[in-house]
Amino acid sequence: MRQRPVSALTILTPTYTEAERIEALEAYEILDTPREEEFDDLARIASEVCGTPIAVVNFVSDTRQFFKAEVGLGVRETPVDISFCKHALLAEDMMIVPDATQDSRFDNNPLVYGDPPLRFYAGVLVRSSEGLPLGTMCVLDHTPRELDAHQIRTLRLLARQVSVQLELHRSLRRTKAALGNVRRLESQYRQIVDSAVDFAIITTDLDGKITSWSPGAEQIFGWSETETLGRPAALVFTAVDREADLAVREMATARETGRGIGEGWYQRKDGSRFWASGEIMPLMGEDEVQIGYLKILRDRTVEYQAEEQRKELTHELSHRMKNVLATVQSIVTQSLRTAESLDAGRDAISSRVQALARAQDILTQTSWSGAGIRQVVDEALAAHRAGQGRIVISGPDVVLSPQQVLGLSLALHELATNAAKYGSLSMPTGKVEISWDVGPDKDFRFDWIERDGPHVNEPSRRGFGSRLIERIVGSYFDGGGQLDFPPSGVVFRLTGSLG
């Protein structure tokens, strides 16, 4: 009997072993982790853009495929031997199965012939930083179908975002592990205090008055032993903690539980503050009778600031990713809402998401610290600069914030696309003049002026692109945008501030 053909795709001979691929997957420690909103959003967008009831972010192990995010399935894993994605791992970058019943690889597959059946599949590979395939960003349907070029491009962009989230997941895990190692080392070092000048070792009597003050304490706090003997240990606490009797409460904890461990702010002789970790314990004399307290402190200001910076960075990265996903979702929703047809909506979504991706690429080069306006303009207009002198650009190369980069990139994409279709760039003689200026108080003005193109009429209806240019972009610059349609050519002016 003649076998049905395999769906057309490029099948590669792996340059890696399956053991190497599994090792790379396990290094991310992503299997069996809880659902996360960032991954769930990617699956939802894939389902909406591709128009499929099912979308999955999955990772394929040697025995199963784990669904980090899913829409329409209701399960978190399935056996790998009935998996579509195990076949996708052998593709160059993407596998499309229009009708699984016509593909011999899925003969007798219970997913294909079950109720309801899975007939259509499209998946883009998600790779490790070393290029090894780990899983897919995929969509499935119960009926045979195809994806158009715009849906395929969007699915590839979403797969790239899965890889970004995966690297962020691993980076945060490694950071936490490194901080955990530091804390364990510090716990060990506390036992070696006799000769450690970076530790403050203080003893007090039962009333909390200082009886000894180590060289490390002198170096950290600034007081000499002579200046501190007989004085209350509360001397080193901040005014707020002294008022709250923290020294007394610490001694009570040590006396009742055998040890008190904590972190907090302390005060030096010169009035400056530092963050320290330490512990207090009963000081025992002969016959195991308590004679006072032993307090050991270590200046951890650098580590504390690093931890706070890490928390701030983690929060900022999460915030930026959510903003990007919100922007993508807004583009999809508004483009479909204002499009004259489904095909037009798909074209608009694809081009706008690609413009957003180009802006993200620029920001990635600077770790999202911002980017020069010249680079933003050049990248946004690269596809439209076929003729010499048709686009004239002038202005100082100032740095824009990440949000300003994204906003201006989208505005330039809309202006350039409109100019190429209907405006000055649609005619050989047409030109565009782009200029910007920054005042002494960081006042910012940006102009787009079209000349020598076709006669311009005021549009009867304003679409999403016009609203984006006028209302949304200006807010990123704490200002506003004005889009006019004089007969000589479209004019856009953006005013605001770079402060």
Side-chain angles (χ1 to χ4, degrees), residues 123-276:
V124 179
L125 289 182
V126 174
R127 297 183 182 274
S128 70
S129 57
E130 298 82 13
L132 296 175
L134 306 177
T136 67
M137 170 80 252
C138 64
V139 292
L140 302 97
D141 205 341
H142 302 300
T143 59
R145 58 170 297 164
E146 297 278 357
L147 294 183
D148 61 30
H150 311 302
Q151 291 169 326
I152 290 173
R153 282 195 294 270
T154 301
L155 200 59
R156 284 193 168 107
L157 289 171
L158 293 174
R160 186 168 69 177
Q161 289 301 319
V162 173
S163 295
V164 170
Q165 283 294 320
L166 195 60
E167 292 300 328
L168 177 60
H169 186 277
R170 179 164 68 173
S171 177
L172 292 177
R173 179 177 54 78
R174 287 177 173 175
T175 299
K176 290 178 181 178
L179 290 172
N181 288 334
V182 169
R183 292 191 181 99
R184 283 191 293 273
L185 288 173
E186 287 178 348
S187 179
Q188 296 172 6
Y189 292 157
R190 289 191 192 104
Q191 303 174 35
I192 313 171
V193 296
D194 290 339
S195 60
V197 294
D198 52 347
F199 285 90
I201 305 172
I202 307 167
T203 61
T204 71
D205 60 18
L206 292 173
D207 295 326
K209 293 183 178 179
I210 298 171
T211 57
S212 71
W213 184 264
S214 73
E218 182 172 344
Q219 178 172 310
I220 291 173
F221 287 102
W223 285 288
S224 67
E225 185 174 36
T226 303
E227 293 175 298
T228 59
L229 291 179
R231 300 179 67 177
L235 169 73
V236 302
F237 288 90
T238 64
V240 173
D241 288 342
R242 287 197 298 270
E243 185 175 347
D245 285 332
L246 183 58
V248 174
R249 290 192 283 118
E250 276 191 349
M251 290 188 294
T253 299
R255 184 172 60 252
E256 295 166 4
T257 66
R259 174 175 295 185
I261 301 175
E263 294 183 320
W265 292 106
Y266 289 84
Q267 185 168 295
R268 297 187 178 92
K269 180 180 179 179
D270 61 8
S272 62
R273 300 196 313 166
F274 66 97
W275 184 269

Side-chain angles (χ1 to χ4, degrees), residues 270-322:
D270 61 8
S272 62
R273 300 196 313 166
F274 66 97
W275 184 269
S277 64
E279 54 185 302
I280 184 172
M281 62 197 74
L283 181 63
M284 311 305 290
E286 294 181 3
D287 300 324
E288 292 300 309
V289 175
Q290 183 180 354
I291 60 173
Y293 297 91
L294 169 66
K295 186 175 181 67
I296 303 172
L297 284 173
R298 187 179 186 185
D299 185 347
R300 293 191 65 250
T301 306
V302 174
E303 292 90 336
Y304 174 78
Q305 291 171 340
E307 173 71 5
E308 292 300 301
Q309 186 177 21
R310 185 198 64 79
K311 291 179 182 177
E312 183 179 351
L313 177 60
T314 301
H315 175 76
E316 181 66 18
L317 287 174
S318 176
H319 177 70
R320 287 173 180 169
M321 184 55 63
K322 289 180 180 178

Side-chain angles (χ1 to χ4, degrees), residues 254-399:
R255 184 172 60 252
E256 295 166 4
T257 66
R259 174 175 295 185
I261 301 175
E263 294 183 320
W265 292 106
Y266 289 84
Q267 185 168 295
R268 297 187 178 92
K269 180 180 179 179
D270 61 8
S272 62
R273 300 196 313 166
F274 66 97
W275 184 269
S277 64
E279 54 185 302
I280 184 172
M281 62 197 74
L283 181 63
M284 311 305 290
E286 294 181 3
D287 300 324
E288 292 300 309
V289 175
Q290 183 180 354
I291 60 173
Y293 297 91
L294 169 66
K295 186 175 181 67
I296 303 172
L297 284 173
R298 187 179 186 185
D299 185 347
R300 293 191 65 250
T301 306
V302 174
E303 292 90 336
Y304 174 78
Q305 291 171 340
E307 173 71 5
E308 292 300 301
Q309 186 177 21
R310 185 198 64 79
K311 291 179 182 177
E312 183 179 351
L313 177 60
T314 301
H315 175 76
E316 181 66 18
L317 287 174
S318 176
H319 177 70
R320 287 173 180 169
M321 184 55 63
K322 289 180 180 178
N323 282 346
V324 170
L325 292 174
T327 301
V328 171
Q329 192 164 13
S330 176
I331 287 173
V332 171
T333 302
Q334 295 297 330
S335 297
L336 290 175
R337 182 178 298 169
T338 60
E340 296 179 355
S341 68
L342 184 58
D343 287 342
R346 289 171 176 171
D347 288 341
I349 290 170
S350 178
S351 62
R352 285 164 178 162
V353 170
Q354 288 184 56
L356 183 65
R358 287 193 295 269
Q360 283 185 270
D361 289 340
I362 293 174
L363 290 170
T364 299
Q365 297 171 15
T366 63
S367 300
W368 280 76
S369 62
I373 188 173
R374 172 74 66 169
Q375 183 182 5
V376 174
V377 173
D378 287 343
E379 183 67 28
L381 301 179
H384 302 280
R385 304 188 71 173
Q388 293 292 332
R390 298 194 65 196
I391 300 178
V392 180
I393 302 173
S394 62
D397 192 15
V398 294
V399 175

